[in-house]
Amino acid sequence: MAQRQCYLYLGLLCAAQFSVLHCVSKENEQHFVNILQSGKPSLIYFKGITNPSISLFLQQLEKSTESLEEYGVTVAQVDCNTENVPKYCENNHVLKKAYLFRANIMLRSFTVDTLFDVDAIVANVLFVLLFNEIKYVSSLVDLHDIENYMKGQGDVIVTFVPAIGVPEHRAIMETAYVYGTKYKFVLTTEQSVLKDKELQDSDKLSPRLWFCHCKMVMDRNEPCKKTFFEQPLTTVNIHSFLKVLEAPLVMESTVGPEDVSTVHVQLKMPVIFLFTQRETYDHDRITAESVAWQLLGKAGVVLVPRAQLQPNVPEDVTVGLKSVGEDLSISYLVLASVEEIVNLVKSEGKHLSTTEKDDEDESEDVDFRGVQDDEVAEAIYRNGWRDLDVDLIPALTDRSFPQSLLATPHVVVLFYTVWDAVSMVFLQSYVEVSTRLADLKDLLLARVNCGDWPDVCSTENATQLPVVKMYSPGEKPLFYSGMLGVQSLLKFIMLTRIVNPVHLTAVEDVEAYLRGKLHGDLKTYQHISVVGLFSPDMEKELDTFIKAANCLKGIVVTGCYVGNDHQYLSQRFGVAPPALVFAKHEESHIQGVQLEKTNTEEIVFAIEGSMLETFPEITVENLPSYFKPLKPLLILFIDNDDTVTLNVKEELAEFTKIRSMQLYTTCWIDLRNTQVGEEILQIYLNYLPQLPALILVQLSSGSHVFAFPEEQVISRENVLHWLKKLQSGQEPPTQWPKHQRWNVREPVHQVEDAL
């Protein structure tokens, strides 16, 4: 077919009408005018600055032209450097979207990353155009609903592909283009839909197809019989499979086996001949149908009158087999049961199937194993989905995503990919969180597979996967930036559900809030209550506090009081407005802090500082909180609870009460709880000292680490004396190998990366 791609220059007129401004040649101009007016679809890329990735895309786009024209789709380009089309040309930037139109209607936009080759281009375009012919499902429940609806009406073809745009996706789209009016096509990329035993025994990332015989089912309580397709998913193979299914289940012949010609023979498939006579015909027919159902799609079954057999065929034979291969001779056998007949055919193809599987295994390591360089990732890939009940979490598509945001007040969405090891680990935590929060009626936890719906992820700015976003009515979506664990995510969701700040209208509300009585269900997730105290005329200060509270959504829920009783509360807490009042739940002490600088950053800094402990144990989960202020870290490393260690901890706990020592973040790491602490020590000191060990890390300097002398006892007096020597420059920093490029923050990042 002659190539018909043309570089178009289009203009956007009022009411979304397109008109051709200029074409490469006048004879093409009229051609494209006709296309736009005819209502035929067209895939158009608006080209700006071209970089290497765009150049590769344009090569694939050009190659796809001929294939798409077979389906009535025209491929075109618009040069935005010449014609600046409003909305589609964006100031000569690198434009990363192609658009599918039907006449002047834009059906869908595609990021060019999703159109990575000809297969992906054809598959994605047909997927949109065949909207009515193909139903995408994300759960087994959705699939069962379609099967039930189709009972007594039509048959269903279900296909699983590991990702949108792979060659198998294109194959089923091209098949649906031909057979879409005859069968109901269903597509999924969700492994959770693969619940049948025959499907579970296979590689979960291997494309699969099965045929549901629903048209013959009149009782809605009766399941649709299934025939599983066991060949590579190519358009030709699927077409051959459907030809076989459309043939009679059992063919009855009036000639001998040697003269029988069926679609199975034409497709070089095995054929089973069952021999019958008048007296046993009914029984033989039932046997033939039973065999045919079990071998459907694998072999043909023909019922032959025994009188048609050649004279040299023994009288006791019951079965004939025409095998696959050059030799078209028929083997005659004596088999007594349906199982023996079925096993005969399966054993015939066993060697061939084993060989094909070996070939597939070699190629699969290239096609779908982007994570196998790492042993952990490999284990996740092999086992990650087996114990996950992902059906509990709705899988959203480009169509259901916007609908889900309107259905529930609060929606949490995980954006992930199945080939990313971290995504699969986090998905386990996400499933557990979903289970724990299942009773909350105002909350929906959902997921989007970015391998299938990259446009959704791109639009939602979900680029560094996995990503969690929470959507609440009237508010901007909020990214989750915490640890990828159950407790951290639970805290984020539960705190984000509450309007922040909570507006308190009475003195009793303020006192109840500080005691943790209001929103008592949050006590598990925050150990401190914070109230902003303002007089009615402090509108500017109140607005600043509200902005700070929004910055802290998902971290802490604050309260705020603006009322006529502010003077009473000022006396009660010993601080005049504007002020912050803090109450730690495990302590009876309430502290008030006056806001001298009422800017958002200062308020956020003050609240975050109040949430920190004075002598905390550093763990993987809380390290970022203590690292953020960039105060010097005075870290005690321990590995037991002997008397010496306990005395040292008591000394340092008292040490933190000295006013001048509040310039430091004094903390401790137990190597039994935080094993990466040993690696941090090794990197800081280049050796493992005797524990307990005390070191000072100057985060602000970026390169200074000091070790407390091992020969000295770690006591309050000795530590104070050592710190004074450091401040006066009398003690040099600890030395490390000169060949090792060093950044003092590196060990801290390694703790974070330990997740």
Side-chain angles (χ1 to χ4, degrees):
M1 180 182 293
Q3 183 166 310
R4 301 164 73 180
Q5 183 179 17
C6 175
Y7 293 85
L8 286 180
Y9 304 96
L10 299 179
L12 186 62
L13 304 180
C14 296
Q17 297 294 316
F18 281 96
S19 66
V20 177
L21 300 179
H22 181 71
C23 196
V24 173
S25 66
K26 289 189 176 181
E27 62 181 5
N28 285 330
E29 179 176 348
Q30 187 57 46
H31 170 68
F32 282 106
V33 169
N34 294 338
I35 288 178
L36 294 174
Q37 293 178 345
S38 69
K40 292 182 179 179
S42 57
L43 179 64
I44 302 177
Y45 174 67
F46 297 85
K47 185 174 69 173
I49 297 174
T50 301
N51 61 18
S53 63
I54 295 297
S55 296
L56 291 174
F57 160 69
L58 292 176
Q59 293 175 14
Q60 298 302 315
L61 185 64
E62 183 173 353
K63 292 178 181 178
S64 70
T65 303
E66 187 171 337
S67 298
L68 286 175
E69 284 203 343
E70 294 178 1
Y71 301 102
V73 181
T74 300
V75 178
Q77 292 184 39
V78 176
D79 191 341
C80 290
N81 297 306
T82 304
E83 296 296 337
N84 186 17
V85 181
K87 184 179 178 181
Y88 298 101
C89 291
E90 301 174 357
N91 299 323
N92 290 332
H93 291 168
V94 176
L95 303 180
K96 297 184 177 181
K97 286 190 176 183
Y99 299 86
L100 182 64
F101 295 91
R102 179 175 277 122
N104 60 351
I105 306 296
M106 198 271 282
L107 302 178
R108 172 78 183 272
S109 64
F110 306 97
T111 58
V112 296
D113 291 341
T114 65
L115 308 178
F116 46 83
D117 61 14
V118 174
D119 290 327
I121 294 172
V122 175
N124 276 283
V125 169
L126 291 182
F127 197 13
V128 175
L129 297 180
L130 298 175
F131 173 79
N132 294 321
E133 286 77 11
I134 298 180
K135 174 70 174 177
Y136 182 90
V137 298
S138 54
S139 70
L140 201 58
V141 174
D142 294 340
L143 177 58
H144 288 164
D145 288 343
I146 293 175
E147 290 180 5
N148 288 331
Y149 177 78
M150 294 301 294
K151 287 176 181 178
Q153 300 185 61
D155 296 319
V156 181
I157 297 175
V158 186
T159 306
F160 164 80
V161 292
I164 299 296
V166 296
E168 293 80 8
H169 181 211
R170 174 183 176 177
I172 197 61
M173 293 299 105
E174 292 180 323
T175 303
Y177 188 88
V178 177
Y179 291 93
T181 58
K182 188 170 187 177
Y183 304 111
K184 184 64 178 178
F185 283 80
V186 175
L187 180 74
T188 187
T189 57
E190 293 293 325
Q191 288 94 332
S192 59
V193 176
L194 307 180
K195 294 294 187 180
D196 282 281
K197 184 178 184 303
E198 293 186 53
L199 295 170
Q200 288 181 326
D201 290 342
S202 64
D203 184 348
K204 285 197 172 185
L205 282 186
S206 294
R208 300 305 309 269
L209 181 147
W210 61 100
F211 189 98
C212 301
H213 303 267
C214 297
K215 188 174 183 178
M216 58 185 289
V217 179
M218 298 301 169
D219 184 355
R220 292 185 61 84
N221 295 320
E222 180 184 347
C224 301
K225 287 188 176 182
K226 295 179 176 61
T227 300
F228 296 95
F229 180 61
E230 298 183 354
Q231 298 297 317
L233 258 66
T234 66
T235 305
V236 173
N237 286 348
I238 299 173
H239 174 70
S240 300
F241 178 66
L242 295 179
K243 282 187 65 176
V244 169
L245 297 187
E246 290 171 354
L249 181 65
V250 176
M251 179 179 174
E252 296 194 24
S253 175
T254 57
V255 298
E258 295 81 3
D259 299 322
V260 171
S261 177
T262 69
V263 66
H264 304 85
V265 175
Q266 298 168 10
L267 296 174
K268 297 182 179 180
M269 297 175 64
V271 179
I272 288 288
F273 299 96
L274 300 183
F275 307 125
T276 184
Q277 52 194 9
R278 182 178 300 175
E279 296 78 9
T280 60
Y281 172 80
D282 291 340
H283 177 270
D284 295 336
R285 176 73 193 189
I286 294 173
T287 301
E289 290 181 356
S290 178
V291 171
W293 273 115
Q294 295 187 54
L295 294 178
L296 190 57
K298 303 180 184 70
V301 177
V302 182
L303 204 58
V304 179
R306 188 172 291 275
Q308 298 298 328
L309 296 180
Q310 298 288 342
N312 59 342
V313 176
E315 293 184 1
D316 60 342
V317 301
T318 56
V319 174
L321 172 63
K322 181 179 285 187
S323 302
V324 178
E326 298 296 330
D327 186 6
L328 298 180
S329 61
I330 297 174
S331 302
Y332 292 94
L333 306 157
V334 179
L335 300 177
S337 68
V338 171
E339 290 74 17
E340 288 181 305
I341 300 172
V342 171
N343 291 335
L344 171 66
V345 174
K346 290 183 177 180
S347 62
E348 275 287 315
K350 188 174 183 180
H351 174 71
L352 179 61
S353 298
T354 303
T355 304
E356 290 177 350
K357 188 177 187 303
D358 290 341
D359 293 339
E360 290 172 3
D361 288 343
E362 292 178 4
S363 63
E364 281 172 355
D365 288 338
V366 177
D367 290 342
F368 304 116
R369 304 293 200 274
V371 297
Q372 289 196 358
D373 290 338
D374 181 83
E375 292 181 5
V376 175
E378 168 69 7
I380 294 166
Y381 166 75
R382 294 292 183 190
N383 305 308
W385 282 84
R386 294 182 183 174
D387 300 324
L388 289 178
D389 193 1
V390 292
D391 281 343
L392 295 172
I393 307 173
L396 305 181
T397 68
D398 58 344
R399 297 186 180 93
S400 60
F401 178 80
Q403 298 170 359
S404 69
L405 301 185
L406 302 175
T408 310
H410 303 285
V411 180
V412 181
V413 181
L414 168 64
F415 300 90
Y416 70 103
T417 60
V418 296
W419 56 76
D420 174 54
V422 179
S423 289
M424 296 308 295
V425 170
F426 187 45
L427 186 58
Q428 299 176 36
S429 300
Y430 196 70
V431 169
E432 184 174 342
V433 170
S434 175
T435 302
R436 293 195 191 185
L437 302 180
D439 293 335
L440 297 180
K441 304 303 182 183
D442 66 339
L443 180 69
L444 170 69
L445 268 73
R447 57 194 167 95
V448 174
N449 185 343
C450 294
D452 298 335
W453 311 107
D455 280 354
V456 176
C457 299
S458 176
T459 301
E460 295 303 309
N461 199 26
T463 54
Q464 299 294 324
L465 305 177
V467 168
V468 171
K469 290 182 73 174
M470 185 160 181
Y471 301 82
S472 299
E475 299 182 12
K476 291 182 179 180
L478 187 62
F479 278 99
Y480 171 64
S481 58
M483 297 292 179
L484 303 183
V486 173
Q487 293 304 322
S488 296
L489 182 58
L490 272 172
K491 175 183 176 180
F492 169 77
I493 294 173
M494 293 300 292
L495 296 184
T496 307
R497 287 174 59 238
I498 307 300
V499 175
N500 195 10
V502 176
H503 289 277
L504 308 171
T505 58
V507 171
E508 294 77 11
D509 293 340
V510 173
E511 294 183 339
Y513 187 82
L514 290 173
R515 292 195 304 269
K517 299 299 182 180
L518 291 182
H519 297 291
D521 55 333
L522 300 183
K523 249 188 169 182
T524 307
Y525 306 104
Q526 66 177 30
H527 65 278
I528 190 171
S529 294
V530 182
V531 173
L533 187 61
F534 304 93
S535 60
D537 60 338
M538 295 180 177
E539 295 181 3
K540 182 179 178 181
E541 291 83 354
L542 176 61
D543 183 61
T544 303
F545 178 79
I546 292 174
K547 290 179 181 178
N550 286 330
C551 293
L552 293 169
K553 283 184 71 69
I555 300 174
V556 61
V557 175
T558 62
C560 129
Y561 176 82
V562 183
N564 296 324
D565 291 323
H566 64 276
Q567 292 182 344
Y568 167 79
L569 292 173
S570 296
Q571 295 176 356
R572 169 80 170 79
F573 302 123
V575 63
L580 298 177
V581 182
F582 305 101
K584 291 189 176 180
H585 297 159
E586 68 274 12
E587 302 174 5
S588 58
H589 177 66
I590 296 178
Q591 180 185 6
V593 177
Q594 188 165 5
L595 293 173
E596 297 179 358
K597 296 181 180 179
T598 53
N599 61 66
T600 303
E601 293 76 14
E602 289 294 331
I603 295 175
V604 169
F605 183 80
I607 294 176
E608 288 182 336
S610 71
M611 297 170 63
L612 302 179
E613 299 178 35
T614 55
F615 185 45
E617 178 186 2
I618 296 296
T619 64
V620 171
E621 288 77 15
N622 69 11
L623 175 63
S625 298
Y626 291 94
F627 177 71
K628 187 176 181 181
L630 292 182
K631 292 166 62 176
L633 289 176
L634 188 61
I635 311 175
L636 175 69
F637 290 85
I638 65 173
D639 64 354
N640 61 61
D641 294 321
D642 61 15
T643 303
V644 173
T645 300
L646 292 177
N647 288 337
V648 170
K649 287 179 64 177
E650 289 179 5
E651 287 279 337
L652 290 182
E654 290 297 318
F655 170 86
T656 61
K657 297 178 181 178
I658 302 174
R659 185 177 181 85
S660 62
M661 293 304 103
Q662 293 177 4
L663 298 173
Y664 302 91
T665 297
T666 307
C667 54
W668 53 283
I669 294 179
D670 191 332
L671 302 190
R672 295 169 298 179
N673 303 331
T674 307
Q675 296 179 359
V676 75
E678 183 174 318
E679 185 178 351
I680 292 175
L681 264 179
Q682 178 72 46
I683 294 174
Y684 276 150
L685 305 180
N686 203 31
Y687 71 97
L688 290 177
Q690 182 178 353
L691 301 183
L694 184 67
I695 68 171
L696 178 70
V697 183
Q698 292 279 12
L699 295 175
S700 59
S701 68
S703 59
H704 292 165
V705 178
F706 302 87
F708 184 82
E710 292 185 51
E711 66 274 10
Q712 295 186 24
V713 176
I714 302 176
S715 66
R716 173 176 169 176
E717 292 75 15
N718 288 344
V719 172
L720 283 171
H721 179 67
W722 174 62
L723 290 176
K724 288 180 180 179
K725 292 175 67 176
L726 296 184
Q727 291 173 352
S728 63
Q730 299 179 40
E731 288 281 341
T734 301
Q735 298 298 313
W736 50 83
K738 292 182 180 180
H739 67 272
Q740 182 176 357
R741 295 187 63 189
W742 179 251
N743 184 333
V744 74
R745 298 172 184 241
E746 181 178 335
V748 181
H749 293 318
Q750 289 187 2
V751 176
E752 293 175 305
D753 293 341
L755 287 175

